Amino acid sequence: MSSKPKVAPFVRPARPRPSLAGIAGLPARDRAYHDLRYRILTGRLAPGTTLLETELAALLSLSRTPVREATIRLAEEGLIDIRPRHGVTVRSLTLNDVRDILDVLSALEIRAVELVAKRGLGPEEHGRLLHMLDRMERLTEAGDIAQWSDMDDDFHSAVAGMCGNGRLLSALDEYWGQQYRPRTMIVPLRPKPTLSNIEHRGIVEALAAGDPEAARLAQQRHRARADQQQLDLLRDRLADGAEGA
Amino acid sequence: MSSKPKVAPFVRPARPRPSLAGIAGLPARDRAYHDLRYRILTGRLAPGTTLLETELAALLSLSRTPVREATIRLAEEGLIDIRPRHGVTVRSLTLNDVRDILDVLSALEIRAVELVAKRGLGPEEHGRLLHMLDRMERLTEAGDIAQWSDMDDDFHSAVAGMCGNGRLLSALDEYWGQQYRPRTMIVPLRPKPTLSNIEHRGIVEALAAGDPEAARLAQQRHRARADQQQLDLLRDRLADGAEGA
DNA sequence: GCGGTCAACAGTGTATACATTAACCGTGAT
DNA sequence: ATCACGGTTAATGTATACACTGTTGACCGC
């Protein structure tokens, strides 16, 4: 039951929360990549941290070769900067960086939602989404914003996962990773996400109705508002003296 | 004179046509990357071509290390497949692949256009775009579809380059590369792009007016129609027995 | 005291050597 | 004849060695 189906599933999970699950058997270069990414996203490697290739290799108990290959990937994803002879530095994002990232991310997510609507929702999928919405509303009432935020990730991830476009999902993953840290930074500042819950319902309705235009509009408005809120909160947080996002 | 300006220009060119200009002084890994990418996009390395790492290294007169680093990048961009112990293979795209790519690309481009409209067009920028439109219309009348197609690239590239979001431009570059080959394949099949020319004018008008919603709509319609046409032509071409896109 | 030049060095970029592992082929049994 | 098993081998994954180049700091001249 818990194992993989024989054919590639039409629906694929996207953007799992940062985790190191299942990297055990992978080649060293992939372990290095996932390990470093995990440390960066969870803050174990704080923004601004600078390490030499040699130090990274020692940290991961590997030689420089796989570590280099991993850092190249991470640099392309925008998580680190490589400055030759100065080491690799964990990127610290400015407000403008976050805005840029969110602009890309929301464009991709809007397209994903359109695609899902174009194909419509199966009953099982619909049920799953509704169930998530219920949970999120209960969490809102209970005031558990942290867990609501995780579920929010899961919800958007679940919807996107139904779009059937693997390249789109990969791109979403990448940019989601880039905004993960600033996003978690402002969780404690969030007000009750009552509006988000309502907007989520609207999105699911449009998806179930198979109406791409309505879905696009709902998703666009939701993201525009939510992203603006995130930027505002982040600005406050940074003004408070928190360093690097 | 020819060197870089002191401050990063606000407008940056995007998606230059495949070229090897200016890779002379770069590190071997970057030369390998650009060289291979160029060969793939221009068809010098045809889809389906398979080469071992050693063979690639010999081809480029380099050792395996920089070649490996280049192939990893190319694989992430979707231009090649790496199958351990079977060599790297130049990807051959199916119609579904192209559709997926265009879905991502158009989503990004729509967002770029929105951003440009949000900030509005300077007089110099406006003039430059209008000038391009004129040229494209003359090329259309002259029936020079090949050159029109190049200018079309340049036009979309120029617009996107004004969006001011570097990450968005990088993503555009990447997906533009993925669709470049199938796009050139169908150039000889294209009808006179009269409609595209009209739509382009509409887009520039919306940009000049600083109306993001109008720009989004114009761009969205343009891409939806043009992409559909491209897919239709490609289907014909593939049905004719052309192998791999 | 300040600025410039040069030399030593550290760190990366590249090449190569070594280990590992999966593909392929041959052999043997059923 | 076909399938299974195992050994061989070739290709990759990883480690290391080497070379090159930018940086840093010291020393000298102004």
Side-chain angles (χ1 to χ4, degrees), chain A residues 119-139:
Chain A
R119 103 154 23 101
L121 242 41
E124 191 274 334
E125 293 169 331
H126 192 187
R128 216 167 79 233
L129 294 181
L130 289 177
H131 184 250
M132 296 176 97
L133 295 183
D134 289 344
R135 260 195 79 190
M136 291 170 83
E137 279 158 8
R138 281 200 300 277
L139 286 167

Side-chain angles (χ1 to χ4, degrees), chain A residues 32-51:
Chain A
Y33 167 78
H34 287 292
D35 193 343
L36 289 176
R37 189 168 195 263
Y38 178 79
R39 292 184 198 226
I40 293 169
L41 293 187
T42 58
R44 284 166 177 75
L45 279 178
T49 308
T50 293
L51 291 167

Side-chain angles (χ1 to χ4, degrees), chain B residues 8-189:
Chain B
F10 195 69
V11 170
R12 153 187 142 184
R15 299 187 286 171
R17 299 184 210 134
S19 139
L20 289 179
I23 71 164
L26 273 55
R29 127 178 63 115
D30 295 326
R31 289 203 313 274
Y33 167 78
H34 288 291
D35 193 342
L36 289 175
R37 189 169 196 261
Y38 179 77
R39 292 183 199 227
I40 293 169
L41 292 188
T42 60
R44 282 164 179 76
L45 279 178
T49 308
T50 294
L51 290 167
L52 299 174
E53 283 188 2
T54 323
E55 296 173 318
L56 273 178
L59 180 67
L60 304 179
S61 309
L62 291 170
S63 75
R64 277 176 52 218
T65 310
V67 170
R68 261 178 78 82
E69 293 177 353
T71 54
I72 291 174
R73 283 183 66 184
L74 292 167
E76 266 161 31
E77 284 182 27
L79 290 179
I80 63 176
D81 280 319
I82 300 178
R83 289 187 314 154
R85 291 168 198 284
H86 292 270
V88 309
T89 304
V90 180
R91 269 226 187 138
S92 144
L93 301 175
T94 66
L95 214 55
N96 279 335
D97 285 325
V98 178
R99 190 199 323 278
D100 282 357
I101 293 164
L102 291 178
D103 273 339
V104 177
L105 190 58
S106 63
L108 295 170
E109 207 171 88
I110 288 169
R111 173 52 46 94
V113 165
E114 281 178 324
L115 291 176
V116 177
K118 207 175 280 180
R119 102 157 23 101
L121 242 41
E124 190 275 334
E125 293 170 332
H126 192 188
R128 215 168 80 233
L129 294 180
L130 289 177
H131 184 250
M132 296 177 98
L133 294 183
D134 289 344
R135 261 196 78 191
M136 291 172 83
E137 278 159 10
R138 283 200 300 277
L139 286 166
T140 305
E141 283 167 33
D144 189 341
I145 308 296
Q147 212 177 334
W148 180 90
S149 179
D150 278 349
M151 282 292 302
D152 183 46
D153 266 357
D154 291 345
F155 170 73
H156 284 279
S157 167
V159 172
M162 297 169 186
C163 78
N165 182 335
R167 287 176 171 83
L168 182 49
L169 286 178
S170 305
L172 276 168
D173 258 4
E174 183 176 325
Y175 288 93
W176 174 82
Q178 291 196 46
Q179 63 86 57
Y180 180 81
R181 217 175 38 207
R183 178 179 162 84
T184 58
M185 266 183 90
I186 53 100
V187 166
L189 304 177

Side-chain angles (χ1 to χ4, degrees), chain A residues 115-175:
Chain A
L115 291 176
V116 176
K118 207 176 282 179
R119 103 154 23 101
L121 242 41
E124 191 274 334
E125 293 169 331
H126 192 187
R128 216 167 79 233
L129 294 181
L130 289 177
H131 184 250
M132 296 176 97
L133 295 183
D134 289 344
R135 260 195 79 190
M136 291 170 83
E137 279 158 8
R138 281 200 300 277
L139 286 167
T140 305
E141 284 167 32
D144 190 341
I145 308 297
Q147 210 176 335
W148 180 90
S149 178
D150 279 349
M151 280 296 300
D152 183 45
D153 266 358
D154 291 346
F155 171 72
H156 285 278
S157 167
V159 171
M162 297 171 185
C163 78
N165 182 335
R167 286 175 172 84
L168 182 49
L169 285 179
S170 306
L172 277 169
D173 257 4
E174 183 175 327
Y175 288 92

Side-chain angles (χ1 to χ4, degrees), chain A residues 23 26-37 40 65-82 88 91 170 173-174 178, chain B residues 29 68-77 82 174:
Chain A
I23 71 164
L26 273 56
R29 129 179 60 115
D30 295 326
R31 290 203 312 273
Y33 167 78
H34 287 292
D35 193 343
L36 289 176
R37 189 168 195 263
I40 293 169
T65 310
V67 170
R68 260 178 79 81
E69 294 177 353
T71 54
I72 292 173
R73 284 181 66 184
L74 291 168
E76 267 161 29
E77 284 182 28
L79 290 179
I80 63 176
D81 280 320
I82 299 179
V88 308
R91 269 227 187 136
S170 306
D173 257 4
E174 183 175 327
Q178 290 196 46
Chain B
R29 127 178 63 115
R68 261 178 78 82
E69 293 177 353
T71 54
I72 291 174
R73 283 183 66 184
L74 292 167
E76 266 161 31
E77 284 182 27
I82 300 178
E174 183 176 325

